[in-house]
């Protein structure tokens, strides 16, 4: 089953919305073309940046369907299937499979209890068995409060249709160990901690999954290519640009990225309620940063 090879930059896209929180199809089209023209290696929808936990189900599946249609097979499409229980995730994965995406990205179970490593292993193994569809482990303990230990990831990597991991733990020694001991042709390791992208690629990670990259994909593609070629100086310059992008997000990261995309003329900055619009200070920081990076010429 592990037929596709994933590498490069896979942006975790924001979800373009109308004011009523339905999918903005035209904004989505512009966003996808913006990323594909930048040279990304895939498209990831319904991640944290995509507001997966806030969207209505009908809008989630509309988003996946439209993304598959608009990408037209040019790059792989990954879609988030995360939820609070095994049966709910299986149902989500099967829907994503039916809609034609290439893989599903799944957080460990969260909210109701803190699972131990045996429960985490069984959770992913059951999903893999019941769906017969490519599954990517999404490790984000900052958001879920659930840590997946190295030994569990190692065991899961042996399951045929568990094809890789996006690690957003911020635990670089774990990523380094995954690269050295788990990464292989049929199991990829993607760095999701945007503070250490150049470091991880230079160490041998297959690629980057980035939420902030939804705003400026070309910066991330150039960083990846430089690091993969061993051009550390250029990669570090790219990393400095990434840190500038991160600086204005703070606790407003989805709203800040969407406001930046609005400035670039790609989509509106509507977010799912109860989130609200950015304050004027953060809007100014977004504008100034984009101008400094040459992405948004102030009139």
């Amino acid at each position: 089953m592990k037929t596709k090879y994933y590498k490069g930059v896979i942006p975790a896209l924001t979800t373009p919305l109308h004011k009523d929180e339905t999918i903005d199809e035209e904004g989505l089209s512009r966003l996808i073309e913006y990323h594909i023209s930048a040279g990304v290696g895939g498209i990831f929808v319904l991640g944290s940046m995509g507001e997966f936990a806030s969207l209505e189900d009908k809008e989630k599946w509309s988003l996946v369907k439209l993304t598959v249609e608009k990408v037209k097979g040019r790059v792989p499409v990954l879609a988030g299937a995360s939820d609070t229980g095994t049966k709910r995730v299986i149902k989500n994965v099967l829907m994503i499979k039916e809609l034609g995406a290439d893989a599903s990205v799944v957080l460990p179970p969260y909210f109701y209890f803190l699972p131990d490593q045996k429960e985490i292993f069984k959770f992913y193994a059951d999903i893999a068995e019941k769906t017969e569809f490519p599954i990517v482990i999404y490790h984000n303990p900052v958001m879920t409060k659930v840590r997946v230990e190295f030994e569990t990831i190692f065991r899961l990597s042996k399951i045929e249709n568990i094809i890789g991991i996006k690690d957003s733990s911020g635990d670089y020694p774990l990523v380094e160990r995954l690269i050295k001991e788990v990464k292989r042709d049929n199991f990829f390791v993607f760095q999701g901690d945007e503070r250490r992208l150049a470091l991880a690629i230079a160490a041998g990670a297959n690629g980057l999954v980035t939420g902030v990259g939804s705003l400026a994909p070309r910066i991330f593609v150039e960083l990846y290519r430089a690091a993969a070629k061993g051009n550390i100086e250029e990669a570090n310059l790219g990393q400095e640009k990434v840190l500038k992008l991160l600086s204005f997000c703070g606790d407003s990261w989805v709203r800040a990225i969407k406001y930046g995309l609005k400035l670039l003329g790609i989509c509106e900055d509507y977010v799912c309620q109860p989130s609200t619009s950015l304050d004027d200070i953060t809007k100014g920081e977004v504008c100034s940063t984009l101008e400094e990076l040459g992405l948004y010429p102030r009139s």
Side-chain angles (χ1 to χ4, degrees), residues 138-181:
Y138 180 6
H139 188 210
N140 192 346
V142 173
M143 300 296 287
T144 63
K145 309 301 184 288
V146 177
R147 180 175 173 82
V148 187
E149 300 293 348
F150 172 84
E151 290 75 14
T152 304
I153 299 167
F154 183 83
R155 289 178 63 207
L156 289 170
S157 74
K158 302 295 185 181
I159 297 174
E160 182 183 7
N161 55 314
I162 296 182
I163 63 170
I165 183 168
K166 176 204 172 186
D167 190 278
S168 299
S169 67
D171 181 353
Y172 185 71
L174 172 63
V175 172
E176 202 168 33
R177 191 176 179 194
L178 291 171
I179 292 168
K180 291 177 180 177
E181 301 182 39

Side-chain angles (χ1 to χ4, degrees), residues 2 36 42 45 64 78-79 115 185 230 266 294:
K2 296 180 181 179
I36 290 179
V45 294
V64 175
L78 298 85
D185 289 345
I266 293 173

Side-chain angles (χ1 to χ4, degrees), residues 28-46:
L28 179 64
S29 292
R30 288 190 291 269
L31 187 63
I32 288 170
E33 295 308 317
Y34 178 54
H35 284 80
I36 290 179
S37 66
V40 299
I43 296 290
F44 171 31
V45 294
L46 294 180

